[in-house]
Amino acid sequence: MTTNPERTIPPTTAGERAMLESWLDFHRETLARKCAGLDDKRLREASAPPSALTLLGLVRHMAEVERHWFRRVLAGEQEAGRIYYDEADKDGDFRVCESDTWEEAHATWQAEIARARENAAGRSLDDLSAGGHRDIESFNLRWIYVHMIEEYARHNGHADLIRERIDGATGF
């Protein structure tokens, strides 16, 4: 069973970097809160069949997203392979089965968040990435932060609907 993590409200008058990092952390914490209080079985529950979207799948997906943007793109760690999906199953991060657990997915996600913070720590917002994505050769750290906030915000909207469908809980 997951626990209800703390969530820090972003400051309203911080500098740009502190603002971006606090909003990203807020959204990371929001996803964890959407999963709070549920056991593995409920975290694997699909939102509204035929959709296979689950809270556990969203956590696994965000672990992949953190790894992609902060390790492969920002730091150029091309050896940081995919965790849950591959070329044969590009949606493998979203597909969960009976053996997939919160404990494993959460630990993996948190490890990727920690690595993301490490990789961003020594860089300025204007520093360019060592790697690219699709047809774009480089991104500055500012763009990556904004993109990550957008990615979490979008998926937290999905998490809202999934959680409400599971047990009626809303608004946290």
Side-chain angles (χ1 to χ4, degrees), residues 109-171:
W109 179 43
Q110 293 306 304
E112 291 303 326
I113 290 170
R115 190 67 179 270
R117 288 181 177 129
E118 289 172 18
N119 285 344
R123 292 177 165 85
S124 78
L125 293 177
D126 293 320
D127 282 353
L128 296 178
S129 64
H133 175 73
R134 296 189 178 141
D135 294 338
I136 301 173
E137 290 183 24
S138 63
F139 300 81
N140 67 24
L141 178 57
R142 178 184 293 103
W143 189 97
I144 292 170
Y145 276 147
V146 170
H147 174 68
M148 290 298 294
I149 292 165
E150 172 273 327
E151 182 85 10
Y152 270 101
R154 180 164 43 99
H155 288 310
N156 282 339
H158 298 136
D160 280 335
L161 296 172
I162 296 167
R163 181 61 189 256
E164 185 174 8
R165 174 82 175 180
I166 290 170
D167 68 359
T170 60

Side-chain angles (χ1 to χ4, degrees), residues 43-76:
L43 289 167
R44 290 189 298 263
E45 247 178 70
S47 59
S51 172
L53 193 59
T54 66
L55 289 169
L56 193 59
L58 285 174
V59 169
R60 288 163 41 113
H61 174 68
M62 292 313 299
E64 290 280 9
V65 172
E66 293 273 358
R67 177 176 279 215
H68 178 72
W69 284 103
F70 287 103
R71 292 181 68 180
R72 290 196 295 267
V73 176
L74 181 64

